[in-house]
Amino acid sequence: MTRQLPTNVESPRGKLVYLYLATRQGATLDELHAELDLPRITLYSVLKTLRGRGVVAQDGEHYLTSQAP
């Protein structure tokens, strides 16, 4: 079964971060920064938005895609 990109993830950076988390079964902020070459301040903003939309969850320092459809 393939996971669909949530329709409420609209920005290119949001899609990039979401897809990275989905394919890696999660990551820390440092891992996202190193692998995606995005500034940490940008990642904080993107992750906050994705969490607010319910598509990403945080477990300590680890970010994961939510299990909700």
Side-chain angles (χ1 to χ4, degrees), residues 2 4 6 9-10 16-17 22 25-26 33 36 38 40-42 44 47-48 50 52 54 56-57 60 62-65:
T2 59
Q4 296 293 321
V9 178
E10 299 167 356
L16 177 65
V17 170
Q25 285 78 46
H33 171 66
L36 301 180
L38 291 173
R40 283 181 175 84
I41 192 72
T42 299
Y44 281 121
L47 289 165
K48 179 180 178 184
L50 294 175
V56 167
H62 205 76
Y63 292 90
L64 309 155
T65 54

Side-chain angles (χ1 to χ4, degrees), residues 20 28-41 43:
Y20 183 86
T28 65
L29 183 72
D30 288 337
E31 291 167 338
L32 289 166
H33 171 66
E35 293 294 321
L36 301 180
D37 197 30
L38 291 173
R40 283 181 175 84
I41 192 72
L43 289 167

Side-chain angles (χ1 to χ4, degrees), residues 18-29:
Y18 179 87
L19 290 172
Y20 183 86
L21 293 174
T23 59
R24 305 283 186 198
Q25 285 78 46
T28 65
L29 183 72

